[in-house]
C-alpha cells in the first residue's frame, strides 16, 4: 500500500466510525462489549494529530477520548497504565511496543465499526425472527380456517 491509499483508508474508517457514533444501536452494542467482557476496554484521552489543520503539521489537533483494548494489538500482552501528561494520557507498554495516537484512534474506530456490524446483524436476526413468527401465525390461522371449513376467495 502506498501512502495515499493508507491515508484514504484511514480517513474512510474514521468517517464511518463518526457516523456509527450517532447510531444508538451501535453505541448500545459497543457498551455491551464491556458488560460481556469486563476489563476488555479502557478509555484514554489523546491528541488527534490527523484531525488538526493541515498547516500545523500534526502539532495541534483536537483532543479526543477513545475506547481501546487493554492488550497490545501486536503481542497480546497487557498495556501500561495511562497517566496524565497535561491534557492527554501517555503510558509505556511493558512489552516495549509503542502506541501512536493515530494507530490508537484507528483501533478505536475499528472497534466501533465492529460493534456497528454486530448491531446490524442483530437487527437482521430480529427482523428474520419477526418474519418467521408472523409466518407461523399466518399458517396457524390458515389451518384453523380450513378446519372450520372456510376457504380463501
Amino acid at each position: 500500500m502506498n501512502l495515499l491509499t493508507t491515508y484514504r483508508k484511514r480517513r474512510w474508517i474514521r468517517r464511518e466510525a463518526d457516523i456509527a457514533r450517532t447510531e444508538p444501536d451501535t453505541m448500545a452494542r459497543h457498551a455491551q462489549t464491556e458488560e460481556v467482557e469486563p476489563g476488555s476496554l479502557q478509555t484514554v484521552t489523546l491528541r488527534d494529530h490527523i484531525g488538526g489543520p493541515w498547516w500545523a503539521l500534526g502539532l495541534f489537533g483536537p483532543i479526543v477520548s477513545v475506547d481501546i483494548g487493554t492488550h497490545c494489538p501486536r503481542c497480546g500482552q497487557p498495556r501500561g497504565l495511562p497517566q496524565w501528561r497535561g491534557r492527554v494520557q501517555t503510558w509505556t507498554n511493558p512489552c516495549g511496543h509503542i502506541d501512536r495516537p493515530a494507530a490508537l484512534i484507528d483501533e478505536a474506530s475499528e472497534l466501533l465499526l465492529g460493534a456497528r456490524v454486530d448491531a446490524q446483524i442483530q437487527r437482521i436476526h430480529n427482523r428474520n425472527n419477526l418474519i418467521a413468527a408472523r409466518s407461523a401465525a399466518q399458517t396457524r390461522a390458515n389451518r384453523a380456517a380450513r378446519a372450520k371449513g372456510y376457504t380463501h376467495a
Side-chain angles (χ1 to χ4, degrees):
M1 275 185 160
N2 63 18
L3 190 61
L4 184 60
T5 306
T6 304
Y7 176 79
R8 285 181 178 164
K9 177 186 173 201
R10 185 176 285 170
R11 280 292 191 190
W12 179 84
I13 288 173
R14 288 188 183 193
R15 185 174 55 245
E16 289 297 315
D18 288 341
I19 294 169
R21 282 187 185 90
T22 62
E23 300 170 351
D25 291 345
T26 302
M27 294 312 291
R29 191 68 175 184
H30 186 61
Q32 285 177 357
T33 303
E34 185 63 26
E35 293 174 11
V36 173
E37 303 170 18
S40 64
L41 296 176
Q42 65 181 359
T43 302
V44 295
T45 304
L46 43 96
R47 186 174 301 280
D48 182 6
H49 295 287
I50 292 179
W54 65 270
W55 49 264
L57 302 174
L59 299 175
F60 305 105
I63 293 180
V64 294
S65 292
V66 294
D67 293 330
I68 59 171
T70 55
H71 292 84
C72 176
R74 293 188 189 121
C75 63
Q77 292 184 1
R79 280 190 164 122
L81 296 174
Q83 300 168 348
W84 287 98
R85 184 176 177 190
R87 296 172 56 195
V88 297
Q89 290 176 310
T90 61
W91 60 90
T92 303
N93 288 334
C95 60
H97 292 124
I98 298 172
D99 289 329
R100 305 262 182 231
L104 292 173
I105 293 172
D106 290 345
E107 178 186 344
S109 298
E110 289 171 5
L111 282 172
L112 200 56
L113 290 178
R116 183 184 198 189
V117 169
D118 289 345
Q120 288 175 348
I121 289 171
Q122 187 66 36
R123 261 185 257 133
I124 292 169
H125 182 68
N126 290 344
R127 188 183 70 214
N128 289 344
N129 286 345
L130 181 64
I131 291 170
R134 285 181 183 167
S135 177
Q138 186 64 37
T139 303
R140 284 193 300 274
N142 289 345
R143 285 183 186 155
R146 272 188 254 131
K148 292 182 180 180
Y150 298 128
T151 59
H152 294 304

